[in-house]
Amino acid sequence: AARLRADLAARAACADPAARFDALRDVLVRLRQLRYYGMQERGDWLTRRTLVVDDSETTRRLLRRSFENAGFLVDAARDGREALVCMRRTPYDLVIMDLEMPVMDGWRSTRELRAWERDAPAGVRPQRVCAVSAEPQRRDGALRSGADAFEAKPLRVSSLLEMSTRVAAE
């Protein structure tokens, strides 16, 4: 480990930008490997599921990659209607739901999910929904519609990951 650390430090201190880039990439690969093996030891690698619901392709990609790197299985939906299909089919540890979307918005989707959960057969566990919006004043309405939590945009991925890890442990 000490030899690897010295080698990476020497390469990172190199004046050549390509060599520095390669060294940093190697560090990131090693960190991912350490996180992977740590999660395997805890037994939760790829057992936690998250659904990302947003009409923005960029947001879906960013959140998908962030959650996958943290060891989650991630599904994505473009609107509330797609999200309902996913949530009825698969139990998620956390659903990150944008409120303003075409076809079906996050409020209606969350209300319909909660109604479906009330009428669902025994054994169907309620899904945790974190509503997200660019307008912080929408928090109360989101919670009234059945969301368990609210995050204002711009999203802090670290905050969402902490919430997901906490919810998955419950």
Side-chain angles (χ1 to χ4, degrees), residues 105-116:
D105 62 35
W107 288 288
R108 182 171 169 203
S109 181
T110 303
R111 282 192 305 271
E112 289 192 20
L113 170 69
R114 296 302 184 218
W116 177 79

Side-chain angles (χ1 to χ4, degrees), residues 54 97-100 107 131-139 150-155:
D54 201 301
M97 174 90 65
D98 187 17
L99 292 175
E100 296 90 13
W107 288 288
V132 296
S133 175
E135 300 177 36
Q137 66 271 22
R138 298 193 183 233
R139 180 183 196 285
F150 178 85
E151 281 287 322
K153 289 182 179 182
L155 296 174

Side-chain angles (χ1 to χ4, degrees), residues 2 26 41 93 137:
D26 288 348
E41 286 176 13
D93 295 302
Q137 66 271 22

Side-chain angles (χ1 to χ4, degrees), residues 16-80:
D16 178 30
R20 275 198 317 261
F21 178 81
D22 288 342
L24 291 174
R25 187 184 64 229
D26 288 348
V27 167
L28 288 174
V29 166
R30 300 276 191 256
L31 288 172
R32 284 191 187 115
Q33 288 171 345
L34 288 171
R35 183 173 35 206
Y36 170 78
Y37 292 119
M39 287 179 169
Q40 274 190 326
E41 286 176 13
R42 287 194 327 248
D44 64 355
W45 179 252
L46 295 180
T47 60
R48 301 173 297 170
R49 295 193 72 101
T50 297
L51 175 64
V52 175
V53 187
D54 201 301
D55 56 327
S56 164
E57 177 69 26
T58 303
T59 301
R60 286 195 312 270
R61 277 193 201 158
L62 169 74
L63 292 176
R64 175 185 288 274
R65 183 170 190 122
S66 298
F67 277 88
E68 285 175 345
N69 284 339
F72 283 79
L73 289 172
V74 181
D75 293 327
R78 289 183 298 248
D79 58 58

